[in-house]
Amino acid sequence: MLSIKEKRLRRIMKEGRCVLLAFDHAVEHGPHKYEGVCLDPLRIASIADKGKADALIVHIGTGRIIKENYGKIPFIIKVTGRTSLSPTMVQEIVTTVDEAIDIGAIGIAATVYVGSSMEYVMLRNLAEIKLRCLQEELPLFAFMYPRVNDKKTTNVNFVRYAARLGAELGVDVVKTYYTGSKESFERVVKECFVPLLVAGGIKTEREEEFLKIVKDAISAGASGIAVGRNVWMRDDAIEMLRKIREIVVKK
Ligand code: FBP
């Protein structure tokens, strides 16, 4: 018989694959970075719903607004955060797992900047979050993002290290950066012994460029994608999400 956690995970990752819509960017980067883009949570909910995302990754306040005004969309609640105004490369706990449960989350997400000068804080927090997820039977999605000198890197060796760390530490699903080629990403996937999702990254100029990244990441062995900017920054966001889904979800 499946445990509650396995059932929740299967709900998100049907047949082991998923397309998640990420919308934590107004926290991570600030709304001023998205001039001209409508950041209304209900618009994003509608994209997730109509584009058939398996779940929406949001912070708790956004989740509440959507739940109250849009209805039932599966949520993964992000419980760590930081603003880009802070010079310190650390995500602190900003929401408790209990609050996430309160709005009916079926998964929890937390970021670790692997290699940052504050890595120890995020690893300690991860231990605490993992324990609560275990107690509540909630799958934990860890965003394992490498940093060198506190700067983002997509260098394959650092991405491999970050992804492997997530698996070693016992999270359920790892999400990390694309390394730029199918061959390099294969190495990341091979060494990460839990399901691995690729992060979308900055919006590409042409949608075909992004769809190729999705294809290559999936053929490298990724279990899916958590995408944000490459969907909701486009005018045809719903159609884009559907196209991504066509690639990711096994027929
Ligand atoms: P994107 O598809 O827009 O890259 O979203 C995925 C994500 O992990 C978000 O959850 C997060 O806000 C963002 O990327 C972080 O990106 P970066 O590390 O470039 O600041």
Side-chain angles (χ1 to χ4, degrees):
M1 217 179 60
L2 291 179
S3 68
I4 295 173
K5 183 165 99 174
E6 282 163 341
K7 280 188 192 152
R8 284 173 168 154
L9 205 46
R10 282 205 185 183
R11 192 169 156 207
I12 301 168
M13 304 188 69
K14 299 160 198 98
E15 322 243 352
R17 292 276 177 93
C18 69
V19 177
L20 308 178
L21 189 63
F23 185 60
D24 55 344
H25 303 64
V27 172
E28 303 264 318
H29 306 139
H32 60 294
K33 295 280 181 194
Y34 299 100
E35 287 315 345
V37 180
C38 173
L39 298 178
D40 180 348
L42 300 185
R43 180 180 82 92
I44 304 301
S46 161
I47 295 169
D49 184 21
K50 294 182 180 141
K52 300 203 183 323
D54 294 296
L56 188 53
I57 306 168
V58 284
H59 279 280
I60 191 83
T62 314
R64 272 200 199 108
I65 291 290
I66 293 174
K67 190 181 174 196
E68 282 160 18
N69 297 282
Y70 196 92
K72 219 167 153 39
I73 287 193
F75 287 118
I76 295 171
I77 294 294
K78 181 100 187 280
V79 297
T80 65
R82 83 183 271 267
T83 74
S84 61
L85 302 175
S86 162
T88 318
M89 192 49 73
V90 61
Q91 292 220 0
E92 253 297 1
I93 295 179
V94 291
T95 297
T96 63
V97 170
D98 297 82
E99 278 179 277
I101 292 168
D102 187 52
I103 73 153
I106 55 170
I108 297 293
T111 295
V112 178
Y113 295 128
V114 179
S116 95
S117 50
M118 300 296 279
E119 179 196 82
Y120 68 100
V121 173
M122 290 168 280
L123 291 179
R124 194 175 56 206
N125 289 343
L126 188 72
E128 193 183 309
I129 296 162
K130 264 191 306 169
L131 178 63
R132 286 296 294 132
C133 285
L134 191 68
Q135 289 163 340
E136 299 295 342
E137 299 205 52
L138 279 164
L140 177 58
F141 292 71
F143 301 177
M144 304 301 287
Y145 290 163
R147 292 290 183 271
V148 171
N149 297 326
D150 280 354
K151 297 265 177 300
K152 174 176 175 171
T153 176
T154 57
N155 174 289
V156 61
N157 287 340
F158 297 115
V159 177
R160 285 166 64 196
Y161 200 165
R164 176 71 187 214
L165 180 68
E168 295 270 353
L169 297 183
V171 307
D172 298 293
V173 180
V174 165
K175 171 170 92 139
T176 198
Y177 298 135
Y178 188 56
T179 48
S181 71
K182 185 186 155 207
E183 293 68 32
S184 60
F185 205 63
E186 265 167 3
R187 301 179 71 190
V188 182
V189 177
K190 201 179 283 170
E191 293 163 344
C192 176
F193 51 83
V194 299
L196 186 126
L197 308 181
V198 66
I202 55 172
K203 184 188 158 207
T204 58
E205 207 173 303
R206 291 181 310 114
E207 79 171 41
E208 295 73 38
E209 289 171 60
F210 185 67
L211 293 173
K212 174 157 181 357
I213 292 174
V214 180
K215 265 184 212 133
D216 287 350
I218 295 299
S219 58
S223 299
I225 185 161
V227 56
R229 291 164 282 189
N230 271 288
V231 168
W232 50 255
M233 284 180 81
R234 294 186 194 276
D235 294 336
D236 55 350
I238 297 169
E239 199 42 42
M240 186 61 171
L241 198 50
R242 286 186 185 145
K243 285 181 189 166
I244 293 168
R245 215 185 152 71
E246 281 281 300
I247 297 167
V248 173
V249 176
K250 290 182 211 153
K251 292 277 155 20

